[in-house]
Amino acid sequence: CQLDFFSQGSLVASRSLVLDPDGSFSLDQPVAPGLYDVAVKASHWLNSVNVAVQVIAGQPLMLVSGRNGDIDGDNSVTVFDYGILSDYFDRSSADSDWTALGDNGFRPADADLDGDGSVSVFDYGILSDSFDLSGD
C-alpha cells in the first residue's frame, strides 16, 4: 500500500507499507503532526484521497481506502480489468504460473481480488460491485 501525504497541494511524504490481513496497518515512520490530505493506493484498489486528516503524535490514523477491482492499475474498473480476470479464471496458487507474467502483462495472482489464493466467481463479484468506478 502506498500513502502519499500532501500539505497545501504539495507532496510532503510518501510511505509504503504492508497491510495486515484485516486491512489495518501501522505507520513506522510517521510524518510530523499536522493536517494533511492523504492519498491511499493499494494493489488492485482504486486510489482514495482522505481530505484534512489530522496527524497527532502517538495516535493511529483512520483512513478510508478506495474500492477493490482495479487489476490493471489505471485507477478505473473497466472491461480491461474484466478481461484480465477472465484470462485467469479458475487459476489458483497451486498452479506453477501463479506469479509468472502472462502474455497480457499480468500474473494470475493479480486477478485474485479477494486474496484467497484462487481466481473465482467471488473475484468477479468484487469487480462487478466496482465496475465503471474510478478513483480520486
Side-chain angles (χ1 to χ4, degrees), residues 75-124:
N75 208 30
S76 294
V77 181
T78 66
V79 68
F80 299 110
D81 301 295
Y82 177 85
I84 297 165
L85 197 150
S86 294
D87 287 346
Y88 295 126
F89 185 74
D90 217 16
R91 297 282 186 90
S92 77
S93 57
D95 294 324
S96 62
D97 66 345
W98 182 246
T99 59
L101 283 179
D103 292 339
N104 62 8
F106 296 92
R107 307 168 305 144
D110 296 329
D112 179 18
L113 298 176
D114 62 4
D116 69 353
S118 66
V119 181
S120 68
V121 69
F122 300 111
D123 300 298
Y124 273 110

Side-chain angles (χ1 to χ4, degrees), residues 15-16 20 29 37 50 61 63 68 70 80 123 128 131:
R15 301 289 185 262
S16 294
D20 294 331
Q29 297 177 350
D37 291 342
N50 294 256
L61 288 177
L63 301 173
N68 195 350
D70 180 23
F80 299 110
D123 300 298
S128 178
F131 193 75

Side-chain angles (χ1 to χ4, degrees), residues 18-102:
V18 176
L19 297 177
D20 294 331
D22 66 357
S24 64
F25 64 89
S26 58
L27 198 57
D28 58 350
Q29 297 177 350
V31 296
L35 198 60
Y36 299 92
D37 291 342
V38 184
V40 179
K41 176 68 174 134
S43 176
H44 61 72
W45 290 70
L46 297 174
N47 188 56
S48 176
V49 177
N50 294 256
V51 178
V53 174
Q54 183 70 43
V55 175
I56 300 171
Q59 291 192 7
L61 288 177
M62 300 301 290
L63 301 173
V64 175
S65 63
R67 300 283 300 262
N68 195 350
D70 180 23
I71 299 169
D72 64 5
D74 67 354
N75 208 30
S76 294
V77 181
T78 66
V79 68
F80 299 110
D81 301 295
Y82 177 85
I84 297 165
L85 197 150
S86 294
D87 287 346
Y88 295 126
F89 185 74
D90 217 16
R91 297 282 186 90
S92 77
S93 57
D95 294 324
S96 62
D97 66 345
W98 182 246
T99 59
L101 283 179

Side-chain angles (χ1 to χ4, degrees), residues 6-12 35-37:
F6 295 88
S7 179
Q8 299 177 353
S10 296
L11 179 67
V12 295
L35 198 60
Y36 299 92
D37 291 342

